[in-house]
């Protein structure tokens, strides 16, 4: 009996020492080629080296990220199926969709916040504004006259605009597109004068002069555009929005496995070569603990819920 008890006690420790002993599936809940997919593949390659097991990226798009997230929520909590979650899957969609296939808190175990991606306010040069303060003054003098483009109804970019309207006390007309690419093309062409975009999407046109980058939306300036001020410092104190990517496991995944994955994720984004590749995408490496990611999700849910409600955006699926 003594030997049997010792064997049982050693079981969890032994399991921890052997995890992972087969490939891990990292589900990206969006199509291949997008920013989340690109970030996931960069990080997955390095995590594969660190864990000495392949981390395989699997794209499972649909319902604004809900399809892939729900698949992971229902997966076995064994550490071998994890999600590359985003501000959409874990902060915006719960308020946007009338029926959610998962609970962003109860159905997931937070692993690590890996990167933050700044958004940016861009305008067509013909608008003749050079700062956020000048844009606010123009919009206040001309309520409802100007349009702003985004990547679609209820997307983080749409809601970045809605938050801007609310905090600045201005009113614009929202023009949703089927993706950031088509939206930016129309802004460059002058069809729409204003856009809230991910910095990686717009940085090329900003550098070429196709659009003017007024400000990034994070608390601090972006290393990819150090001369561009933040929204908060240039006319709208307290404004902050950004996209982010984080790993989540199904609820019930052993904490020992969570800790192993979190450590590998943090080491991956801290690697100099990985950091350089992420910086090229204007992504800022983070690498948080599970507890820090849990606190981040809680804060993001509290922030975006009222913004979604105020915007009037709703999706029934």
């Amino acid at each position: 009996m003594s030997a049997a008890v010792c064997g049982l006690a050693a079981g969890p420790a032994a399991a921890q020492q052997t995890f992972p002993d087969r490939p891990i599936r990292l589900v990206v809940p969006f199509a291949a080629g997008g920013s989340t997919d690109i970030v996931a593949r960069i990080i997955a390659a390095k995590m594969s080296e660190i864990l000495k097991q392949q981390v395989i990226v699997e794209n499972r798009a649909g319902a604004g990220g809900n399809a892939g997230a729900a698949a992971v929520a229902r997966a076995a909590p064994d550490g071998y199926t994890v999600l590359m979650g985003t501000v959409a899957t874990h902060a915006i969609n719960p308020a946007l969709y009338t029926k959610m296939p998962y609970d962003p808190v109860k159905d997931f175990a937070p692993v690590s916040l890996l990167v933050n991606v700044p958004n940016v306010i861009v305008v067509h040069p013909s608008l003749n504004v050079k700062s956020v303060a000048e844009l606010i003054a123009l919009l206040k003098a001309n309520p409802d006259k100007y349009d702003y483009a985004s990547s679609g109804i209820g997307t983080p970019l749409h809601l970045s605009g809605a938050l801007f309207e609310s905090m600045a006390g201005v009113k614009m007309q929202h023009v949703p597109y089927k993706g950031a690419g088509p939206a930016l093309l129309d802004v460059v062409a002058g069809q729409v004068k204003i856009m809230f975009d991910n910095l990686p999407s717009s940085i090329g046109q900003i550098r070429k002069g196709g659009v003017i980058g007024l400000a990034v939306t994070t608390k601090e300036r972006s290393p990819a555009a150090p001369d561009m001020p933040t929204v908060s410092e240039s006319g709208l104190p307290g404004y902050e929005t950004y996209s982010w990517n984080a790993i989540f496991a199904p609820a019930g995944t052993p904490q020992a496995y969570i800790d192993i994955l979190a450590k590998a994720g943090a080491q991956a984004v801290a690697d100099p070569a990985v950091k350089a590749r992420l910086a090229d995408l204007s992504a800022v490496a983070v690498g948080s603990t599970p507890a820090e990611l849990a606190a981040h999700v809680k804060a993001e849910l509290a922030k975006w819920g009222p913004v979604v409600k105020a915007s009037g955006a709703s999706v029934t699926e």
Side-chain angles (χ1 to χ4, degrees):
M1 181 178 291
S2 176
V5 170
C6 290
L8 286 173
Q16 179 179 346
Q17 289 171 2
T18 58
F19 176 84
D21 61 5
R22 63 181 188 271
I24 294 170
R25 183 169 58 124
L26 175 58
V27 175
V28 171
F30 302 102
S35 60
T36 299
D37 177 67
I38 294 170
V39 166
R41 291 179 187 278
I42 292 171
I43 295 172
K46 192 63 185 181
M47 287 183 67
S48 297
E49 295 179 17
I50 294 167
L51 295 170
K52 296 180 172 53
Q53 286 290 341
Q54 191 172 9
V55 179
I56 302 169
V57 173
E58 177 184 308
N59 297 95
R60 190 156 182 172
N66 283 356
V72 174
R74 295 190 295 265
D78 57 10
Y80 290 97
T81 300
V82 295
L83 175 74
M84 183 63 86
T86 70
V87 63
T89 61
H90 278 73
I92 291 175
N93 287 1
L96 178 66
Y97 283 76
T98 57
K99 188 175 181 180
M100 283 289 290
Y102 61 87
D103 185 296
V105 175
K106 295 179 181 178
D107 292 339
F108 292 92
V111 177
S112 182
L113 176 64
L114 298 178
V115 301
N116 291 332
V117 181
N119 296 330
V120 63
I121 302 175
V122 298
V123 299
H124 190 266
S126 67
L127 201 60
N128 292 321
V129 297
K130 305 295 184 183
S131 69
V132 169
E134 289 182 7
L135 177 62
I136 292 173
L138 177 68
L139 296 174
K140 283 186 173 181
N142 300 275
D144 276 328
K145 178 179 177 181
Y146 292 98
D147 301 332
Y148 77 93
S150 85
S151 52
I153 294 174
T155 61
L157 302 180
H158 167 205
L159 297 174
S160 292
L163 181 63
F164 182 87
E165 288 182 284
S166 174
M167 291 184 66
V170 298
K171 187 65 178 174
M172 299 177 285
Q173 296 294 324
H174 175 227
V175 182
Y177 286 79
K178 293 182 178 180
L184 183 60
L185 286 175
D186 267 10
V187 176
V188 172
Q191 301 297 319
V192 182
K193 304 294 186 184
I194 305 163
M195 182 177 177
F196 292 77
D197 195 12
N198 291 134
L199 182 57
S201 301
S202 284
I203 191 68
Q205 287 294 341
I206 292 171
R207 289 170 177 165
K208 290 192 297 185
V211 294
I212 296 173
L214 296 185
V216 294
T217 63
T218 41
K219 281 184 179 179
E220 298 178 352
R221 296 190 181 198
S222 169
D227 294 332
M228 192 184 303
T230 68
V231 175
S232 185
E233 73 180 286
S234 60
L236 196 58
Y239 181 93
E240 181 187 18
T241 71
Y242 54 90
S243 299
W244 47 265
N245 297 120
I247 292 181
F248 296 86
T253 301
Q255 188 60 46
Y257 298 177
I258 296 294
D259 292 341
I260 289 170
L261 292 169
K263 184 178 179 180
Q267 287 179 343
V269 297
D271 178 81
V274 172
K275 272 184 115 171
R277 292 189 66 191
L278 292 173
D280 286 341
L281 297 171
S282 305
V284 180
V286 181
S288 78
T289 65
E292 288 168 339
L293 175 55
H296 177 75
V297 169
K298 183 178 179 180
E300 288 284 274
L301 282 165
K303 172 182 178 177
W304 287 110
V307 176
V308 173
K309 185 176 180 180
S311 75
S314 180
V315 178
T316 302
E317 287 195 13

